[in-house]
Structure formats: C-alpha cells, structure tokens
Amino acid sequence: MGQHFMQSVLEKIKDAVVNGDMENYQTLISDALKQGHSAQKILDSMSYAMAIVGEKYAEGDYYLPQVLVSAEVFTKALEIIEPDLKKSISATSVKGKIVIGVVEGDIHDIGKKLVATLLGAAGFEVYDLGKDVRIEQFVDTAIEKNANIIGMSALMTTTMGGMEKVVKLLEEKGMKGKIKTMIGGSPITQEYAEKIGADAYGESAQKAVQVASKLMGIGVLVND
Amino acid sequence: MIEKMTSLERARVALNRGVPDVVPVFSRDLTFPLDVVNYTTPEVCRGGPNGAYNGEKSARAVIAAQKELGHDVCVGSIWDLGLSSDAYGGITDFPEQGIPMVKVPAFGERPEKIDEMSPLDFRKDGRYPGVLKSYEIVSKEIGNRVGIAVNIEGPVTEASMMRGTEKLVFDMMIHPDIAKKIIDLATTNIKGFIKDCIEGGANWAVFLASSNDGTEILTPELMRKYSLPNITTIVEHAKKLGYPVVFHPHGIFTDPRNSQLVDESIATGIAGFQFAEKNDFKLAKEKWGSRVCILGGVDIATAILPGPVSRIEDEVKLRLKECASGGGYIVMASCSLHRKTPIPHVKAMVDATHRYGVYPLHLDG
Ligand code: B12
Ligand SMILES: [Zn+2]
C-alpha cells in the first residue's frame, strides 16, 4: 500500500506494461498527460518497461503469453500518445528505420512480432511486412522507405536460405552496406550470418535492439 | 537372447515400458516421404478431383519411405496443418516442393463463426476422406508388421490452426470464453478423427502433436487450464477404443520451473511423452522413465539436418545410453520430419538405433 502511494504515475505506467495490465493503462496515460508529463517521457517509461519484459523472457522468467500481452499494452498505449509524440518528435530523434519480416515459406511469426515491438519501443521506426515475405518485397520496401536496416526472421532450416537471397539481391542492386541486414530465429547463428554476408545476428528480441543500435552506431538507451 | 519381433510388436512392447528385441524407431515423417517418391506437395495434399487430398499417392509415399528407411512406426498419411482450418473455410498454401502453410485460418477474423459450426465428419468434410483412404491402404499393405500411428494435433495446437496461434493466446488471456469454445471444438474433432483412423487401420497408438500445448507457447497455468484437462478426455476416449496415447508438447520440461507439468501430464493417463529439443534426456529417464515411455532424442536442427552421419550415430548412441536400459524408450527425431530433410540422415538414425539398440544392450566402452 505505502509503496503504491509513493509511486509516480510514470512508474505505474512502467509497471502496467511489465505486468500486461490491460485494464488500467488508459487511465494511467491520461493521468500522466494531465499531470503535464510529455509524451516522450511516457514513451521512455514504456520503452524501459518493454526492455525489462524482453529480459525476463530471455531469462525464462516470463513465458510467451506474458510477453504478448505486455506488447499489446505497449502498442495500445502508444496509439494514445502518438499524436502528441508526432508533434514533439523531429525526424532526427528516430533511431533508424527498419523493414522486418519472416522469410518466404515460413509462417512462424511470433518471434518476429516480439522483435518488431521491442525495436519500436526502443525508438526505431519499424515497417512490419508480416510472414512469408518474398525476397523482392524486403528489398523493394527497404529502398522505398529509405530504411537503414532489413531485419529477417526464419524458424525453419528449410526457409532460412531466403535470407542469403535477400543479401545477394541487395548486392546486385548496389545497396549492400547502405542497407544493413540483421537476422535471427531459432536455427540462425552468428556463424550463419557471417557465412551469408549478413551484417548482424541477434539471438533474442532483447539482443535485436542492441544489435540494431550498434548497426546504427548508437549506444543502447537505458534510462532510470 | 530375446526372440525377434516385428516392428509393430517391438513398438508396442516399448510403449508399454517393456523390453523389446531392439529399440524401435518412430520417424514421424509428415511431409518427408514426398521426397522419397518425388511427388510435389500439391500433387498429394490436394491432388485429387476438386482439390481433394490424394489418398493413393499419400499411401504410396508413406509405404515407400518405410521400405527405404525401415523405421518401426509410421504415420498413416502425409500430414499438413491446414486440414481442419480448410474444412471450416480457411485457406492453406501448398508450395510445390515446400511444406503447406495456413494462409487464412478459418476463425482468424471472426471467432463468433464458431457458434455456427458443428464437429467435422471426417468421411465427408474437407480433404479428410483422402487422409483416411491413405490410412486404409497403408494398413492393408504394411499394417501386419509395421506400427501405424494416428497423428493428430493436441487440443490447443489444433485450435491454433483454426484461429491463429497468437490470436488464440490472446483469447486465453483476455477472452477465455472464445478460447474455450474453439479448444472444445478442436477436442471433439480430435476424438472423432482418432476413431476414424483406428477404423481405417491405425494399429499402434495415438500421437498428439502439441507444439502449442506446452510451455514454448503457453504459461504453465494456461497449459493446466486449456491443454491438460482435454488431454485427459482424449486419453479416456482412446483407451476405450483400446489405444494408448503419446503426448508431445514443446517446452523445456526438464527445467525445474516446468517439470511438475510432466507429472501432471502423466496423471492424464498417457503412455508416452516425447520430449522436443533442448531437454535433458538422462534426467527425463531417471525422473519419469518408470511411469511413462520416453520418446524422442535426435535433434533435428543440430544433427539430422546438418549431419554428418557420424554425428547422428553418436547422438543415437548417447540417447540409447541415457534412456534405453530397462526398455520403455523409442527413438524419434526432436519433432516431425519434413521435405528437404536429407534422406541418408534419417536412414542413419534408423540404422544406428537398430544396430546399437539390440537388447541386452552393450553400450559401454
Ligand atoms: C509454435 C511453433 C509453431 C506454430 C507457429 C505459430 C506462429 N504463428 O508463429 C505452428 C503450430 C503454426 C507451427 C507450424 C509449423 N512448424 Co513449427 N514450431 C513452433 C515452435 C514450437 C516454437 C516457435 C516459437 O514461436 N517460439 C517462440 C518465439 C518467441 O521464439 P523465436 O521465434 O525463436 O524468436 C526469438 C528469437 O529466435 C529471436 N528472433 C526471432 N526472429 C528474429 C529476427 C531477428 C532479426 C532477430 C535479431 C532475432 C529474432 O527473438 C525472438 C524472441 O526472443 C518451434 C520450435 C522451436 N524451438 O523453435 C517449431 C518449429 C520451428 N516448427 C517446425 C515445423 C517443422 C513446423 C511445420 C512445418 C509443422 C507441420 N507439421 O506442418 C509448420 C510450418 C509451416 C510453414 N510452412 O511455416 C520445426 C522446424 C524444423 C526445421 N526444418 O527447421 C520446429 C523447429 C520444430 C522442430 N523441432 O522440428 N509451428
Ligand atoms: Zn514437435
């Protein structure tokens, strides 16, 4: 009780995201805005919360449904503050643009969703192409959106070959290096990334944020 | 010296936790046989008139794979995950040389449609009649000596195919009434399918393919609430028909945070538990081997797919050491086998088991 009393609204928002509290996040966000907290400050708390969630999942303290619900609270809460955010954020404060998807022939999209959410939470602009994504679609969208990074997920050894094709196509188009590639999924390894010439590998959604930040030449945001 | 048994006999004895002549192999080869006979995926999965499933070709593939590899138990048909969703109006894609994938799950957008739906009639609905036909042919041709398993998804996994995995997980967390309806319908269908397959000649056991029924996808609480009670129902149903059940949920169940769930699974009355990847088989045998048959053990991603043959042999030998003494062990890959899995590698798993798994075992040194 006492502790609750002391807790600031931003801390409560952080907890709501960590605990996947679908009931209270709306009230908490509007309270925070009423109290004069900027949308950016609220987003920082929420992003910090998603980083905690990612870590708990990586440690095995959280199971998948808990992560999915936290991600849902994050996404819904983000929709509320988005109009305010857009007013205050200049294009330069976006960390980078990422086009992400699951490679052709593969429908395992849960891991990719977590990666996309955590990247969004960490300040990247994310274009999620979904699952079973064609080689050309990765490259075309990345060029069209002026993306910095293409993120690819594969859960099957029979589909991971698609990643190499994307790297090759980037090369053919003279875009390799300008658009970086980052890959992940349970059969993927650092070794494989090196073999196909991908720029980076991340073993979890939490690592994906670190790796993407590194590709952009920035440190990882840790506030609190 | 134990008298030589047929494949079917040794698989039955092992599942019953007895000591057979040699450790049996169940290569749960769902689309893998298509490569053995060089059929395209759509040629079988919707190669009959009006996009029906081609039961004859499926059976040809299953039988040819068994002859070539010599595993003790097979599945009675080529199997894909779109069958139930399709029967309720969903859409599945069939890549020429790839694995079928559900494009639009039947109840993905409108779960309320489920209220209008009745359980499936497998002799009439969707692509199922072809599947049952395949069971019949396989049973007639090799069922006197080879084990034929009913392969069907577990309750949450089957419901995921009709609803979409992520949506179903949300339903469980936020709209439990919707989740319950879909999972109940799935359970009813699973029971119906088991009955029809057994009538079609499945002769060994029911295998519940349950990637979404375990802690890889669910919390322990959700597994307890939505999967295990339905496993109990299915086990009772199969027992009445005279067949044992093998449960294969994904998750790391030898992790102390999850291991209680194996005890609870055993309490449903299952005969076998197939552990997926990253489990500690030595521990599994010690902890549960006296109460349930242990299945699984040869990792797909790190051994069967990349090889080489010597690595697969080493893994088989290690698993035999950990799990085979006293019987009650069946070698399987860590999950199902599909197209583009090197045939010699699967054969290596079967051969190594039959070579080194002869009882009495001589595995030391
Ligand atoms: C759940 C599951 C399913 C669900 C998928 C639901 C969905 N919408 O995603 C269903 C039941 C539908 C399914 C279907 C199939 N599956 Co499946 N499935 C799994 C299972 C058990 C878990 C996958 C999962 O979601 N894990 C949880 C998530 C959160 O983890 P993750 O995806 O690994 O993601 C994390 C990291 O890898 C990383 N990451 C992921 N992507 C990226 C990307 C980047 C850029 C970065 C940096 C990081 C990163 O971050 C994530 C979070 O930390 C795996 C087993 C396994 N151990 O992976 C098998 C598995 C992937 N499936 C397999 C198979 C064979 C199939 C089927 C063919 C089965 C069939 N009978 O038809 C079909 C596939 C059809 C198709 N064409 O795609 C095999 C693949 C084998 C192979 N050849 O490699 C596996 C490995 C099981 C096995 N042991 O054999 N499956
Ligand atoms: Zn499996």
Side-chain angles (χ1 to χ4, degrees):
Chain A
M1 275 304 259
Q3 214 191 347
H4 259 253
F5 188 68
M6 308 280 291
Q7 234 186 359
S8 77
V9 69
L10 290 180
E11 276 166 10
K12 284 186 189 162
I13 289 175
K14 185 199 83 186
D15 287 354
V17 174
V18 171
N19 300 327
D21 182 349
M22 299 284 278
E23 261 156 40
N24 294 312
Y25 73 89
Q26 281 161 310
T27 325
L28 288 170
I29 301 263
S30 66
D31 284 355
L33 290 170
K34 269 185 224 146
Q35 287 177 24
H37 293 288
S38 70
Q40 183 59 51
K41 265 261 156 343
I42 298 173
L43 177 63
D44 288 350
S45 300
M46 287 167 33
S47 304
Y48 180 58
M50 279 314 288
I52 296 176
V53 170
E55 205 174 294
K56 281 183 185 280
Y57 182 60
E59 295 293 316
D61 293 334
Y62 261 22
Y63 292 86
L64 182 66
Q66 295 160 307
V67 186
L68 287 175
V69 174
S70 287
E72 183 73 4
V73 171
F74 175 85
T75 313
K76 288 268 164 66
L78 186 61
E79 280 168 19
I80 306 178
I81 58 171
E82 212 148 35
D84 289 338
L85 267 182
K86 288 225 168 94
K87 276 182 239 153
S88 64
I89 287 188
S90 62
T92 50
S93 60
V94 170
K95 279 187 162 181
K97 286 189 200 167
I98 302 186
V99 167
I100 194 167
V102 179
V103 297
E104 197 161 4
D106 204 327
I107 52 103
H108 295 89
D109 58 356
I110 294 174
K112 182 266 306 161
K113 182 193 159 122
L114 299 185
V115 173
T117 311
L118 284 199
L119 286 169
F124 288 90
E125 196 170 318
V126 181
Y127 298 91
D128 189 341
L129 302 180
K131 59 195 170 189
D132 187 23
V133 177
R134 283 178 303 107
I135 318 291
E136 300 79 23
Q137 206 185 338
F138 276 111
V139 176
D140 294 349
T141 315
I143 293 173
E144 182 197 315
K145 302 286 181 197
N146 218 348
N148 310 95
I149 300 173
I150 294 178
M152 291 175 274
S153 178
L155 267 280
M156 303 201 295
T157 45
T158 47
T159 56
M160 60 200 256
M163 296 172 159
E164 186 169 13
K165 291 186 187 148
V166 170
V167 175
K168 287 240 167 75
L169 186 59
L170 277 176
E171 208 161 22
E172 275 167 40
K173 300 211 170 193
M175 296 303 285
K176 189 166 178 334
K178 288 186 200 126
I179 300 174
K180 302 261 169 68
T181 46
M182 167 173 100
I183 63 175
S186 60
I188 309 300
T189 58
Q190 177 64 39
E191 221 180 337
Y192 183 71
E194 282 162 21
K195 189 182 138 210
I196 66 167
D199 297 296
Y201 158 73
E203 67 170 348
S204 64
Q206 184 206 13
K207 284 274 163 62
V209 174
Q210 295 172 13
V211 165
S213 305
K214 213 165 151 200
L215 285 178
M216 298 301 297
I218 37 185
V220 186
L221 130 149
V222 186
N223 43 9
D224 213 22
Chain B
M1 194 66 197
I2 298 162
E3 215 177 304
K4 191 158 165 53
M5 298 174 172
T6 64
S7 285
L8 175 59
E9 283 163 348
R10 72 174 66 105
R12 279 185 177 151
V13 169
L15 186 56
N16 210 14
R17 277 181 286 113
V19 180
D21 57 344
V22 50
V23 174
V25 184
F26 175 19
S27 81
R28 195 167 62 93
D29 40 0
L30 300 187
T31 59
F32 170 77
L34 296 175
D35 280 351
V36 177
V37 285
N38 244 322
Y39 290 157
T40 69
T41 301
E43 187 177 354
V44 171
C45 294
R46 49 149 206 208
N50 301 322
Y53 180 104
N54 192 319
E56 280 87 8
K57 282 194 172 163
S58 159
R60 287 295 133 242
V62 170
I63 293 164
Q66 199 283 328
K67 290 221 162 104
E68 177 146 347
L69 302 173
H71 44 264
D72 300 285
V73 180
C74 63
V75 173
S77 77
I78 300 296
W79 184 252
D80 69 73
L81 292 178
L83 280 140
S84 60
S85 171
D86 283 5
Y88 286 117
I91 300 171
T92 299
D93 256 13
F94 301 92
E96 285 290 301
Q97 299 293 328
I99 306 166
M101 50 189 153
V102 178
K103 262 271 134 93
V104 183
F107 308 124
E109 293 309 320
R110 293 186 47 222
E112 67 281 1
K113 273 202 318 203
I114 193 125
D115 289 328
E116 303 152 26
M117 300 297 167
S118 35
L120 294 171
D121 178 346
F122 299 97
R123 297 179 194 275
K124 285 208 208 100
D125 292 338
R127 298 183 281 121
Y128 286 104
V131 171
L132 292 178
K133 175 101 198 154
S134 177
Y135 271 83
E136 279 165 24
I137 300 173
V138 171
S139 155
K140 225 175 266 158
E141 292 202 15
I142 59 175
N144 60 335
R145 51 181 186 87
V146 175
I148 302 167
V150 178
N151 181 82
I152 181 71
E153 278 63 55
V156 175
T157 309
E158 179 69 355
S160 302
M161 298 306 109
M162 303 192 286
R163 173 76 171 130
T165 302
E166 195 187 323
K167 288 201 170 122
L168 186 68
V169 170
F170 272 109
D171 294 341
M172 289 186 238
M173 307 281 282
I174 298 159
H175 309 291
D177 49 320
I178 297 181
K180 188 173 180 309
K181 269 186 205 164
I182 301 184
I183 296 167
D184 284 350
L185 179 66
T187 303
T188 306
N189 283 336
I190 292 165
K191 290 197 289 184
F193 184 73
I194 291 171
K195 184 162 175 290
D196 286 347
C197 282
I198 288 173
E199 282 171 20
N203 60 12
W204 177 64
V206 172
F207 185 92
L208 295 176
S210 307
S211 63
N212 295 5
D213 283 75
T215 53
E216 178 87 36
I217 297 298
L218 304 180
T219 62
E221 293 71 33
L222 292 177
M223 184 174 173
R224 288 189 177 105
K225 183 165 172 197
Y226 290 101
S227 182
L228 293 179
N230 290 310
I231 300 294
T232 306
T233 314
I234 294 166
V235 168
E236 278 164 11
H237 173 76
K239 273 191 181 158
K240 272 190 205 134
L241 297 167
Y243 287 81
V245 173
V246 177
F247 186 32
H248 169 53
H250 274 248
I252 307 178
F253 290 102
T254 47
D255 181 319
R257 286 174 287 199
N258 299 328
S259 61
Q260 173 70 32
L261 290 161
V262 179
D263 297 295
E264 293 172 38
S265 298
I266 293 172
T268 67
I270 54 168
F273 192 105
Q274 186 204 351
F275 291 86
E277 57 279 307
K278 297 195 182 118
N279 279 277
D280 177 344
F281 276 81
K282 186 165 179 282
L283 184 72
K285 178 75 176 181
E286 282 164 13
K287 238 173 133 75
W288 300 295
S290 65
R291 287 181 283 152
V292 77
C293 171
I294 309 282
L295 298 92
V298 188
D299 197 75
I300 293 176
T302 59
I304 295 188
L305 285 161
V309 164
S310 61
R311 177 165 186 180
I312 297 161
E313 287 175 348
D314 288 346
E315 188 144 321
V316 168
K317 280 194 244 175
L318 178 63
R319 288 292 110 77
L320 290 172
K321 253 189 204 168
E322 292 174 335
C323 300
S325 70
Y329 177 54
I330 297 175
V331 167
M332 290 182 78
S334 49
C335 196
S336 53
L337 294 173
H338 289 273
R339 301 206 80 144
K340 297 181 188 158
T341 308
I343 296 172
H345 293 177
V346 180
K347 183 141 176 51
M349 173 178 79
V350 179
D351 289 349
T353 307
H354 288 164
R355 186 168 335 126
Y356 303 109
V358 178
Y359 288 99
L361 298 166
H362 298 285
L363 285 161
D364 295 317

